[in-house]
Amino acid sequence: MPKKVRELKQTLQKAGFVLLPKRGKGSHSYWVHPLLSKPIVISGKDGKDAKLYQEKDVMEALAELEQLQQGEE
C-alpha cells in the first residue's frame, strides 16, 4: 500500500529537511537539506497516496544523506 504524501513530508522533516515557504504552485512543496545540493519536490495534498516516483525520490535522498553523514564521521 502506498504511503500518504503526509508521511513522506514527515519523513523528510525528521531527517532534517526544511520546507521552503512560498515555492512552487498549488500543492507542490520544496524540501531542502543543508548537505544536499538539490531540493526534493513533493506534490499532492497530504491525504492523497504518494506516487511511486515520489517515494523513490525521498528514499534516494535519505540514502544519499546517510552516506554523506557517515563520510563526515
Side-chain angles (χ1 to χ4, degrees), residues 3-17:
K3 291 184 178 184
K4 299 290 184 187
V5 171
R6 166 186 330 104
E7 294 176 79
L8 292 182
K9 291 178 180 179
Q10 289 172 347
T11 301
L12 289 173
Q13 191 173 19
K14 286 179 184 176
F17 283 78

Side-chain angles (χ1 to χ4, degrees), residues 21-44:
K22 309 230 185 225
R23 296 289 301 277
K25 292 184 174 183
S27 62
H28 288 72
S29 59
Y30 284 71
W31 295 82
V32 294
H33 193 281
L35 297 177
L36 299 178
S37 59
K38 63 178 185 172
I40 302 295
V41 180
I42 303 290
S43 63

